[in-house]
Amino acid sequence: MKAMRIALLGAGTVASGVVRVLHRNQDELCRRAGRGIEVVAVAARNADKARRAVGDALPLTEDFMGLATREDVDIVAELMGGIEPARELVLAAIRAGKHVVTANKALLALHGNEIFAAAQEHGVMVAFEAAVAGGIPIIKAVREGLAANRIEWVAGIINGTTNFILSSMRDKGVDFATALAEAQRLGYAEADPTFDIDGIDAAHKITILCAIAFGVPVQFDRVHVQGIRDLETADIRYAEQLGYRIKLLGITRRAEDGIELRVHPTLIPSTRLVANVEGAMNAVVVQGDAVGSTLFYGKGAGSEPTASSVIADLVDITRLHTADPEHRVPHLAFQPGALADTPILSMPQVRTSYYLRIRVRDEAGVLAEITHILAEHGMSIDALLQRPSGEDDQHTDVILLTHETVEQRMDQALARIQALDTVLAPVVRLRKEELR
């Protein structure tokens, strides 16, 4: 059968991996897909850089739009990143009847609803396995492998840069700035690491996972985002002493009144498998009512790991492109007309547990006053540490773990605690999840 013809938009790290793996595994892929898969051309802004990435055999062009809509192209693989012109090019390819594969989590988190609606209208597929967790096939797992389940929650380490930084802070006892510099030196962090360390990259990914887990539209504007740049080594050390590790998690959970959607540093019991995911690795835990807890682990970035997911999408589309559009797997797992309008909860409505580090004067009665305030707001203490912090031992760190409560109550209690004249610094608050 005639090979499926692929246009690559972008000639960076992922595109180079796609070209290498397609060439290396072409016979195997043909056996799986039923026909060959070949790249017909690559669109790139910098010809010299593109040649180094994809070799000399493939035609290059600077005309992204022309390649995206070229008559003899079957699938457009958008691997350039960013919002524009990626959005414009993807929509143009869809209108021209091309299937699309993308690794662009930001594009889908912000404009996925528009893109999926256009794809449905024009009878084409948009595949995006590589947009979340790199080489881990988490999209297919949630959308298809766990289709029998009512998904209860999804929680994941879905940004390798922040996981590397947190692992370094714990293992080496270094501060955030030192760990970040090491990540940049080793190539795990960009020169401008803002999207990673501020949680934005993870927020894009958990937004997509939320949509396919619960059958709701993508809603990036509703996700709560907190990064790791304010984390201190002391908090990582105290968490260890209490039997926990701190990870930046993306969490989405079915709740009584809606859906939680949040990214923040989180204490996880050190006995959980996901708490022991170190370095730049990714892991996602999915809780289903029938299957229970499942863990998906692997490389969340890199040339060939991400190419693995891109090419898996190319194989899927090659298998299904002649199928009736009504018989294909829906983009967001649920039929387009069956997406729910379940609300995304604001953070004050979320129910979770907390880690509090409160620096106070080392005086009698201070701890009793703090616990009394928490009790008045309906909160109980799960565990407690008290550690000297100053050279003169005139102040101390009080570390508390609470049982579950609504965040609004915690906000109110912390406002009162912070106002105490015995509290000497801003209270550090982190959320805690048992993931069970």
Side-chain angles (χ1 to χ4, degrees), residues 30-276:
C30 187
R31 289 172 60 207
R32 292 178 185 275
R35 64 178 66 190
I37 299 172
E38 64 178 35
V39 177
V40 297
V42 180
R45 298 186 183 92
N46 185 317
D48 291 338
K49 184 178 178 181
R51 281 288 172 224
R52 291 193 296 272
V54 301
D56 298 325
L58 294 174
L60 293 180
T61 178
E62 294 182 359
D63 183 4
F64 283 77
M65 185 61 75
L67 182 57
T69 57
R70 207 169 98 175
E71 186 175 351
D72 64 341
V73 165
D74 301 304
I75 307 173
V76 172
E78 184 276 300
L79 306 175
M80 54 197 300
I83 303 301
E84 296 292 358
R87 172 182 162 276
E88 180 185 7
L89 291 167
V90 165
L91 289 173
I94 289 170
R95 289 192 291 267
K98 316 299 181 188
H99 303 292
V100 171
V101 172
T102 180
N104 195 332
K105 64 269 186 181
L107 176 66
L108 295 179
L110 273 68
H111 299 286
N113 298 323
E114 175 188 18
I115 289 168
F116 298 141
Q120 183 187 7
E121 178 184 354
H122 292 277
V124 299
M125 290 174 276
V126 175
F128 49 96
E129 185 65 68
V132 180
I136 303 173
I138 188 62
I139 300 297
K140 195 174 188 70
V142 175
R143 190 170 55 189
E144 299 174 49
L146 297 176
N149 289 260
R150 183 179 189 269
I151 302 299
E152 302 297 337
W153 53 263
V154 180
I157 298 169
I158 45 181
N159 181 272
T161 300
T162 52
N163 202 51
F164 179 88
I165 291 170
L166 292 174
S167 294
S168 295
M169 292 175 71
R170 184 180 67 84
D171 292 341
K172 301 176 181 178
V174 298
D175 62 14
F176 170 79
T178 302
L180 171 59
E182 177 72 357
Q184 290 172 317
R185 185 183 70 80
L186 294 173
Y188 292 123
E190 302 287 344
D192 179 1
T194 302
F195 265 42
D196 294 322
I197 64 175
D198 287 344
I200 299 168
D201 175 79
H204 289 146
K205 296 169 183 175
I206 198 64
T207 297
I208 296 168
L209 287 176
C210 173
I212 64 172
F214 303 121
V216 297
V218 291
Q219 299 172 71
F220 178 72
D221 60 331
R222 298 292 297 161
V223 61
H224 170 85
V225 188
Q226 177 189 352
I228 67 167
R229 67 167 75 230
D230 295 327
L231 273 180
E232 297 185 20
T233 309
D235 296 307
I236 292 176
R237 185 174 67 251
Y238 290 145
E240 286 276 315
Q241 293 173 17
L242 289 161
Y244 291 83
R245 291 184 178 174
I246 298 177
K247 300 291 184 181
L248 183 74
L249 289 189
I251 300 171
T252 185
R253 186 191 307 272
R254 191 189 300 272
E256 184 176 344
D257 300 324
I259 296 170
E260 300 173 9
L261 182 57
R262 46 195 169 101
V263 171
H264 49 70
T266 309
L267 274 74
I268 312 168
S270 58
T271 54
R272 300 285 184 265
L273 287 174
V274 70
N276 293 279

Side-chain angles (χ1 to χ4, degrees), residues 232-348:
E232 297 185 20
T233 309
D235 296 307
I236 292 176
R237 185 174 67 251
Y238 290 145
E240 286 276 315
Q241 293 173 17
L242 289 161
Y244 291 83
R245 291 184 178 174
I246 298 177
K247 300 291 184 181
L248 183 74
L249 289 189
I251 300 171
T252 185
R253 186 191 307 272
R254 191 189 300 272
E256 184 176 344
D257 300 324
I259 296 170
E260 300 173 9
L261 182 57
R262 46 195 169 101
V263 171
H264 49 70
T266 309
L267 274 74
I268 312 168
S270 58
T271 54
R272 300 285 184 265
L273 287 174
V274 70
N276 293 279
V277 173
E278 301 294 355
M281 302 301 282
N282 279 198
V284 182
V285 184
V286 183
Q287 180 78 18
D289 69 327
V291 73
S293 180
T294 57
L295 174 68
F296 301 84
Y297 168 87
K299 293 182 178 179
S303 179
E304 293 200 4
T306 308
S308 170
S309 290
V310 171
I311 294 170
D313 282 342
L314 295 176
V315 170
D316 269 356
I317 290 176
T318 299
R319 290 166 170 164
L320 294 171
H321 82 286
T322 59
D324 186 326
E326 298 300 318
H327 297 154
R328 296 170 182 158
V329 178
H331 293 110
L332 295 179
F334 295 75
Q335 296 299 326
L339 292 182
D341 59 359
T342 311
I344 304 297
L345 301 177
S346 63
M347 271 313 285

